[in-house]
Amino acid sequence: MTTAGEWRMSSQCVMLENAKRIEPRLIEIRRAIHMNPELGGMEFKTSRLVAQVLQEFGMKVTENVAGTGIVGLLRGAGDVTGAAGAGEKTVAIRADMDALPIQDKKDVPYRSRIPGVMHACGHDGHVAMVLGAAMLLADLKNQNKLPGNVKFIFQPAEEGPGGAKPMIEAGVLKNPRVDMILGIHIWPEIPAGRVAIKSGAALASTDEIRIRIKGEGGHGAAPHRAVDAIVVAAQVISALQTIVSREVSPMSPVVLTIGTIHGGYRHNVIADEVAMTGTLRTLNPAVRMELPGRIDRLLRGIAGGMRASAEFTHIPGYPPTVNDGRIAELASRSAARVVGDTNVIREIEPSLGGEDFSYFLELVPGVFIMLGAGNPEAGITFPSHHPRFDFDERALAIGAAILAQATFDYLSLPESGGDFLP
């Protein structure tokens, strides 16, 4: 019998080779989900499909977790490495399942069949890849070569209001306790065949801000008898950017964007109120804690100086997605076994986009992988959330192989003693 250690040494091409064998199945799954997209919290058909596939490969499946969530558990083959306690470790792999309220404008046979709803962020691919990893790891289990447990977490509502936190509260990281977690995301800006795995902060927090300026209405011909909320709002919008440029270190990226502004009645009436909403994003948890107070101070100062008043509401969103440095290095080495070291990008700028996978990373060491899936020659160049978004389906087998390889490599590590990394 081949030992787990021997398998690891010989698996540089084997995992991808095995993934290529199931590639037609992964494409079939992805396209079925793509044609039948479901919004957050309504992933009923997707959940049923996921549960059926997991059960087909011998998983213990728990359905209706935090709504439409699914958890599959693959028990390991026990201690096949000779390291004490190796069979007790558990890795989790997470996929998000929800679509977006966007009209699919691609001209492809698998275009969305649901008006106004499409998978414009690759979640259909994430589901297919994690199911592919489940197939590959179940095969290892059947060969008595899987030295630990694997949980497959299929999460609803990543696009909002967020399904990760409710699933955590439902206990998906327990029984058995998860020691390491992997997430993956289609990245159309990176060519298919390459992968980016960044140590540290990879994605930003996604807080919402709401501002209400209150003045005194009046006739447009007599501004001196009123307090123009629109003029105050204009000063506020300009001044807010000085928080980013003058109160935060240039080494700590911050985005403060006002996305909506509403106020006024007609052309000759001075507005008494203006309401604004915006997004506040940063990679630095400490800066994130400081920003609301600074915004509130600036708002009150400007409004008060112009005889108006201001109300400020800060609504916390997802925290920053911060990868564990050691797990990022392990996953990079695992990915190199699949695609070659030259195709693994370790230094990449973080994104100011956000992900609720961050909640998992606050509790368990892990890594969020950016999987290349762009193909300019095939016209696959549109970014996430675009009505013509698509990705190169060759990424499915690659992503499944990387997830399975990283899981296997982690489970094969000795429980104690020696270096953390293989």
Side-chain angles (χ1 to χ4, degrees):
M1 182 184 75
T2 304
T3 68
E6 291 169 346
W7 173 267
R8 187 174 64 213
M9 293 299 294
S10 64
S11 64
Q12 181 170 355
C13 299
V14 171
M15 198 69 81
L16 182 59
E17 182 180 322
N18 290 340
K20 287 289 186 181
R21 293 194 182 102
I22 61 173
E23 185 176 53
R25 179 81 185 276
L26 303 186
I27 293 174
E28 177 188 4
I29 291 171
R30 180 261 167 155
R31 293 189 176 188
I33 297 172
H34 195 86
M35 288 187 288
N36 298 278
E38 298 170 299
L39 296 174
M42 302 175 65
E43 305 93 339
F44 303 110
K45 292 181 180 178
T46 306
S47 293
R48 283 197 295 271
L49 173 61
V50 167
Q52 290 168 3
V53 174
L54 292 174
Q55 289 165 347
E56 176 187 342
F57 285 85
M59 313 282 173
K60 177 186 176 182
V61 177
T62 304
E63 301 183 58
N64 304 317
V65 180
T68 55
I70 298 287
V71 178
L73 177 61
L74 180 65
R75 289 281 184 182
D79 182 6
V80 299
T81 66
E88 298 175 359
K89 287 191 292 189
T90 300
V91 171
I93 309 177
R94 172 268 203 175
D96 38 13
M97 301 186 293
D98 54 320
L100 284 157
I102 298 174
Q103 179 64 41
D104 194 346
K105 295 183 179 180
K106 295 189 303 297
D107 185 16
V108 293
Y110 50 87
R111 182 170 57 189
S112 171
R113 296 174 178 174
I114 310 300
V117 183
M118 73 170 288
H119 275 286
C121 203
H123 295 190
D124 51 335
H126 304 166
V127 172
M129 283 186 285
V130 175
L131 287 174
M135 297 175 195
L136 296 172
L137 293 167
D139 184 56
L140 290 181
K141 161 69 181 295
N142 293 337
Q143 299 177 57
N144 203 37
K145 296 174 182 175
L146 184 65
N149 309 315
V150 189
K151 279 187 178 181
F152 303 94
I153 299 173
F154 294 85
Q155 174 205 308
E158 186 280 325
E159 298 288 355
K165 198 170 184 180
M167 291 200 81
I168 291 169
E169 292 168 350
V172 299
L173 297 178
K174 302 175 182 177
N175 301 319
R177 178 180 61 85
V178 172
D179 299 290
M180 189 268 276
I181 190 164
L182 299 170
I184 197 165
H185 201 294
I186 292 291
W187 219 258
E189 293 85 354
I190 301 173
R194 305 197 73 192
V195 60
I197 302 176
K198 178 177 175 54
S199 177
L203 297 169
S205 54
T206 60
D207 298 347
E208 180 184 350
I209 59 173
R210 297 178 183 176
I211 298 169
R212 184 173 296 275
I213 305 296
K214 293 185 176 182
E216 289 289 338
H219 198 289
H224 59 293
R225 295 177 181 170
V227 178
D228 194 334
I230 289 179
V231 172
V232 177
Q235 295 295 322
V236 164
I237 291 172
S238 296
L240 284 174
Q241 298 309 313
T242 65
I243 291 178
V244 177
S245 66
R246 291 295 177 267
E247 295 197 34
V248 179
S249 167
M251 305 306 293
S252 295
V254 172
V255 166
L256 201 171
T257 296
I258 298 299
T260 69
I261 178 167
H262 300 281
Y265 305 100
R266 55 175 295 166
H267 71 282
N268 63 345
V269 176
I270 290 177
D272 60 343
E273 284 195 17
V274 170
M276 298 181 280
T277 65
T279 186
L280 182 63
R281 296 168 182 252
T282 179
L283 299 168
N284 188 320
V287 171
R288 184 192 186 204
M289 295 294 291
E290 296 171 358
L291 287 172
R294 295 182 179 185
I295 294 171
D296 188 54
R297 167 181 50 78
L298 182 144
L299 290 176
R300 294 183 186 279
I302 292 176
M306 300 180 72
R307 298 182 296 131
S309 63
E311 295 177 358
F312 174 62
T313 305
H314 172 249
I315 303 172
Y318 303 156
T321 302
V322 182
N323 291 332
D324 182 275
R326 298 188 303 167
I327 302 298
E329 181 57 27
L330 179 142
S332 296
R333 297 187 187 189
S334 301
R337 293 189 174 103
V338 175
V339 297
D341 191 65
T342 58
N343 288 315
V344 178
I345 306 169
R346 290 175 170 84
E347 295 298 329
I348 187 171
E349 289 187 356
S351 168
L352 272 294
E355 246 282 352
D356 73 343
F357 186 71
S358 55
Y359 288 113
F360 291 111
L361 293 179
E362 287 187 325
L363 300 173
V364 178
V367 66
F368 194 62
I369 299 167
M370 303 171 183
L371 183 70
N375 187 341
E377 294 181 359
I380 299 175
T381 60
F382 296 99
S384 298
H385 295 209
H386 191 284
R388 293 178 64 187
F389 172 85
D390 204 355
F391 64 85
D392 190 328
E393 291 178 320
R394 291 177 298 177
L396 296 173
I398 294 171
I402 290 173
L403 291 170
Q405 186 70 59
T407 298
F408 179 82
D409 289 344
Y410 178 85
L411 292 176
S412 300
L413 293 174
E415 187 70 16
S416 61
D419 293 335
F420 174 85
L421 296 172

